[in-house]
């Protein structure tokens, strides 16, 4: 089995000016499934492009279309496996914001944990047999992460899903959830060229809106109980 994961983010990781930082994405459990949904989503985007009278080169994203159109695209993903990661920035330790490197390490940790919890949920539901997973493909919307930061994220994901992790404080080894994983690859993509990354954009935009609507506190949970969506709240 091959797993394909597409993700994007919403918000700015800056506790002085922002309440929440969001990761979100979609998960496909085969190449066939991925290809089918890519065709469906392109069709849905064409309908939105026509209804919004967008130019041919305009990207159909949460920042370029109306709330009505965003809601349509979000509902079109009801049968797709989805995940969200909500970071309540006011609860993150202050020293994490002191340097770019510590901020990136925390974001990498949050992303890794959120994806892991989604995949564990799929295992518990019987949708994934962990013994059959051989490859995981990550497609992440490109952003300002430095080249070495991208390399570190790939290493963290590989450690979590392929090699296993070790807690030195308690001398405990946590085996990988996919013991027969052969390879894990990570690509940073231009969403204009990668259709399914745009599905992640719509989910991230929706979750960010729900968390900020009415200035809800970080302890409240938004009304996002839609099919196949697993949300991880941190810290």
């Amino acid at each position: 089995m091959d797993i394909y994961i597409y993700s994007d983010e919403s918000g700015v990781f800056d506790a002085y000016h922002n309440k929440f930082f969001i990761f979100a994405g979609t998960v496909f459990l085969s190449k066939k499934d991925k290809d089918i949904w890519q065709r469906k989503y392109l069709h849905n985007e064409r309908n939105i492009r026509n209804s919004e009278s967008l130019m041919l080169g305009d990207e159909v994203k949460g920042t370029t279309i109306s709330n009505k159109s965003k809601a349509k695209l979000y509902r079109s993903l009801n049968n797709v496996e989805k995940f969200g990661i909500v970071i309540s920035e006011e609860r993150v330790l202050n020293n994490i914001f002191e340097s770019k490197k510590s901020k990136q390490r925390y974001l990498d940790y949050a992303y890794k944990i959120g994806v892991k919890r989604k995949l564990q949920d799929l295992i518990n539901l019987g949708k994934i047999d962990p013994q059959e997973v051989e490859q995981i493909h990550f497609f992440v919307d490109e952003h300002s992460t430095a080249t070495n930061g991208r390399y570190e994220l790939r290493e963290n994901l590989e450690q979590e899903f392929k090699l296993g992790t070790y807690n030195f404080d308690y001398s405990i080894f946590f085996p990988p959830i996919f013991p027969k994983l052969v390879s894990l690859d990570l690509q940073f993509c231009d969403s204009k060229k990668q259709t399914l990354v745009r599905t992640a954009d719509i989910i991230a935009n929706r979750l960010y809106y729900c968390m900020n609507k009415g200035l809800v506190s970080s302890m409240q949970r938004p009304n996002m109980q839609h099919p196949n969506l697993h949300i991880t709240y941190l810290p």
Side-chain angles (χ1 to χ4, degrees), residues 91-158:
R91 297 170 59 196
V92 176
L93 293 174
N94 290 334
N95 63 351
I96 288 176
F97 294 98
E98 291 177 357
S99 72
K100 288 184 178 180
K101 194 166 187 65
S102 60
K103 287 167 67 174
Q104 193 59 53
R105 281 177 176 170
Y106 182 81
L107 291 176
D108 288 353
Y109 160 80
Y111 180 76
K112 175 184 71 174
I113 292 300
V115 171
K116 181 179 181 179
R117 290 180 182 173
K118 171 62 181 180
L119 296 178
Q120 287 175 321
D121 186 51
L122 291 174
I123 291 171
N124 293 336
L125 292 171
K127 296 183 178 182
I128 292 178
D129 181 346
Q131 300 294 327
E132 293 183 356
V133 176
E134 294 186 344
Q135 297 185 68
I136 304 178
H137 309 275
F138 285 88
F139 300 87
V140 180
D141 188 41
E142 62 184 4
H143 48 81
S144 59
T145 304
T147 302
N148 60 338
R150 298 181 181 192
Y151 178 76
E152 288 174 8
L153 176 57
R154 186 193 178 282
E155 278 195 327
N156 286 333
L157 293 170
E158 188 174 59

Side-chain angles (χ1 to χ4, degrees), residues 1-233:
M1 173 185 275
D2 284 12
I3 297 175
Y4 298 83
I5 298 171
Y6 296 82
S7 59
D8 199 357
E9 59 191 49
S10 189
V12 179
F13 197 49
D14 170 14
Y16 290 105
H17 303 100
N18 296 270
K19 290 177 66 67
F20 302 104
F21 186 88
I22 307 293
F23 287 113
T26 48
V27 180
F28 302 93
L29 304 181
S30 70
K31 184 179 185 300
K32 180 181 178 181
D33 189 35
K34 168 184 74 73
D35 291 344
I36 288 172
W37 277 103
Q38 178 166 299
R39 289 193 294 272
K40 286 183 178 180
Y41 198 73
L42 279 171
H43 173 75
N44 293 332
E45 282 189 325
R46 280 193 293 270
N47 290 337
I48 295 296
R49 185 182 297 280
N50 291 334
S51 65
E52 297 268 335
S53 300
L54 295 177
M55 300 294 289
L56 186 60
D58 292 340
E59 193 171 359
V60 181
K61 295 189 69 174
T63 55
T64 62
I65 59 177
S66 67
N67 289 336
K68 181 179 179 181
S69 292
K70 283 187 281 189
K72 283 184 179 179
L73 284 177
Y74 183 78
R75 287 195 300 272
S76 77
L77 299 170
N78 275 354
N79 293 322
V80 174
E81 295 296 341
K82 302 177 287 292
F83 67 91
I85 304 159
V86 176
I87 300 173
S88 298
E89 299 194 41
E90 62 188 17
R91 297 170 59 196
V92 176
L93 293 174
N94 290 334
N95 63 351
I96 288 176
F97 294 98
E98 291 177 357
S99 72
K100 288 184 178 180
K101 194 166 187 65
S102 60
K103 287 167 67 174
Q104 193 59 53
R105 281 177 176 170
Y106 182 81
L107 291 176
D108 288 353
Y109 160 80
Y111 180 76
K112 175 184 71 174
I113 292 300
V115 171
K116 181 179 181 179
R117 290 180 182 173
K118 171 62 181 180
L119 296 178
Q120 287 175 321
D121 186 51
L122 291 174
I123 291 171
N124 293 336
L125 292 171
K127 296 183 178 182
I128 292 178
D129 181 346
Q131 300 294 327
E132 293 183 356
V133 176
E134 294 186 344
Q135 297 185 68
I136 304 178
H137 309 275
F138 285 88
F139 300 87
V140 180
D141 188 41
E142 62 184 4
H143 48 81
S144 59
T145 304
T147 302
N148 60 338
R150 298 181 181 192
Y151 178 76
E152 288 174 8
L153 176 57
R154 186 193 178 282
E155 278 195 327
N156 286 333
L157 293 170
E158 188 174 59
Q159 193 77 41
E160 191 69 47
F161 297 117
K162 183 180 179 182
L163 304 175
T165 58
Y166 193 85
N167 186 313
F168 290 97
D169 292 332
Y170 297 97
S171 298
I172 300 173
F173 176 72
F174 298 94
I177 59 176
F178 301 121
K180 296 184 179 180
L181 188 66
V182 175
S183 67
L184 181 152
D185 62 86
L186 169 68
Q187 296 182 40
F188 283 83
C189 310
D190 181 350
S191 58
K192 286 186 177 181
K193 301 176 182 178
Q194 186 56 259
T195 303
L196 293 176
V197 167
R198 296 196 295 274
T199 66
D201 166 75
I202 289 297
I203 300 164
N205 185 278
R206 174 76 172 184
L207 185 52
Y208 186 78
Y209 169 79
C210 286
M211 290 303 301
N212 283 284
K213 184 179 180 181
L215 299 177
V216 296
S217 78
S218 59
M219 297 303 294
Q220 290 178 295
R221 301 295 185 251
N223 182 21
M224 290 283 291
Q225 302 306 312
H226 293 287
N228 307 318
L229 173 65
H230 184 280
I231 302 177
T232 297
Y233 295 91

